[in-house]
Amino acid sequence: MVETTEPAQDGTPEPRRLRVFLVDDHAMFRAGVRAELGAHVEVIGEASTVAEAVSRIAATEPDVVLLDVHMPDGGGRAVLEAVRRTRPEVRFLALSVSDAAEDVIGLIRAGARGYVTKTISPDELTAAIRRVADGDAVFSPRLAGFVLDSFASRPDAPVADPELDQLTNREREVLRLLARGYAYKEIAKELFISIKTVETHVSNVLRKLQMSNRYELSRWAADRRLV
């Protein structure tokens, strides 16, 4: 349950400001989330790497951690699994650009209480944080469908694909956006990276999957329901 503070002037108890920790490798995104949520929750810390996040979450003991899924040094799942070994009471809400089934299912299997995408509005995100703090599960209808399908049909089956496993998390993100028809410039803006970096990732994906152009990549991604 969400605790309350002293009653407001009209006698209505005001909800306690939840203590929230931000984990995301993009400083500009963290600053934006902090600015949007600052009036509704207490943002007690932030981190940009897995190691920094694990250390500072243990030190600050937040109510809810907003967790990016893909980061260069391991990703949100590594943070979640490390923290839960010693702080099982901390609740995690994934906040990601990715809405891929494998990402959603992977985080939920690791123990996250919810998963929302970065297109969520500030008011919706605040409400999601409070629901997760109360012990509820929070998903958009599309993402909830992934979870239900996975646990209902293959409760113990691992999500594995040898070809897909060759790709880094960032390469998967670039592939997914490419398959959705994004131009290189749009991918760079969406992922906060340079166009040159996008080109490098695409080149690496083509080489690893032994394909020659983006159209083959799009069909490959669609066949695996990555789009």
Side-chain angles (χ1 to χ4, degrees), residues 29-52:
F29 181 78
R30 295 198 307 274
V33 172
R34 180 189 287 273
E36 293 289 354
L37 297 183
H40 308 288
V41 303
E42 182 182 1
V43 180
I44 61 170
E46 56 186 68
S48 61
T49 67
V50 172
E52 182 185 17

Side-chain angles (χ1 to χ4, degrees), residues 9-10 12 21 43 70 72 83 88 109 122 139 153 160 165 177 184 205 217:
Q9 291 184 348
D10 63 358
T12 303
F21 194 98
V43 180
H70 297 299
V83 171
R109 285 192 185 280
F139 306 96
S153 60
D165 289 345
L177 295 176
Y184 285 10
V205 173
L217 286 178

Side-chain angles (χ1 to χ4, degrees), residues 11-173:
T12 303
E14 294 183 344
R16 178 176 69 89
R17 282 163 62 89
L18 292 170
R19 302 171 76 248
V20 174
F21 194 98
L22 307 179
V23 181
D24 195 292
D25 58 319
H26 296 114
M28 289 181 64
F29 181 78
R30 295 198 307 274
V33 172
R34 180 189 287 273
E36 293 289 354
L37 297 183
H40 308 288
V41 303
E42 182 182 1
V43 180
I44 61 170
E46 56 186 68
S48 61
T49 67
V50 172
E52 182 185 17
V54 172
S55 173
R56 297 200 60 198
I57 290 170
T60 55
E61 299 185 342
D63 298 305
V64 176
V65 175
L66 283 183
L67 186 65
D68 191 13
V69 176
H70 297 299
M71 295 189 293
D73 61 340
R77 182 165 182 166
V79 176
L80 199 161
E81 292 176 339
V83 171
R84 282 178 60 84
R85 294 190 192 106
T86 56
R87 296 285 190 279
E89 72 280 5
V90 177
R91 288 173 172 150
F92 289 83
L93 173 62
L95 177 60
S96 174
V97 69
S98 170
D99 60 359
E102 59 179 0
D103 291 332
V104 179
I105 295 165
L107 263 292
I108 298 308
R109 285 192 185 280
R113 294 294 304 177
Y115 193 116
V116 295
T117 63
K118 290 180 177 178
T119 57
I120 193 170
S121 72
D123 287 344
E124 291 172 333
L125 182 57
T126 301
I129 290 170
R130 292 206 170 279
R131 289 178 59 193
V132 166
D134 275 343
D136 294 341
V138 179
F139 306 96
S140 70
R142 169 181 163 80
L143 303 188
F146 292 156
V147 177
L148 290 174
D149 290 346
S150 173
F151 283 84
S153 60
R154 298 188 303 165
D156 298 319
V159 179
D161 183 323
E163 289 187 298
L164 187 61
D165 289 345
Q166 300 178 76
L167 308 182
T168 66
N169 289 332
R170 182 62 87 191
E171 288 168 352
R172 294 186 193 193
E173 288 181 323

